[in-house]
Amino acid sequence: GFLLCNLTADVIIEIFPEIHRVMRPKGIAVFSGILISQGAAVRRAAEALGFTMLQEKTRGEWCALVMRQNGP
């Protein structure tokens, strides 16, 4: 599966449990609309729910995180 989520960091963190619930194992998610200063918080929330960082892209003050949900 693939998920594209262009929301602010606080909203992404708030809905992460639901994202985790609906994503298939090994699914790819791109989280964007995140201020660089908030990227680490989103990364920690994702990793706590079993996501692995694949890539981080930045442009100006914004970043996008490409992650994979771990699974069998």
Side-chain angles (χ1 to χ4, degrees), residues 9-61:
D10 57 335
V11 174
I12 292 170
I13 291 169
E14 181 180 330
I15 66 172
F16 246 122
E18 187 65 14
I19 292 169
H20 172 69
R21 187 184 72 75
V22 301
M23 290 230 17
R24 293 182 181 189
K26 308 240 182 199
I28 301 294
V30 178
F31 301 102
S32 61
I34 303 166
L35 291 170
I36 290 174
S37 62
Q38 298 172 325
V42 173
R43 199 168 30 254
R44 281 191 302 273
E47 290 170 349
L49 288 172
F51 285 79
T52 300
M53 173 72 78
L54 299 177
Q55 190 172 23
E56 181 173 352
K57 297 278 191 174
T58 61
R59 179 177 289 167
E61 63 187 303

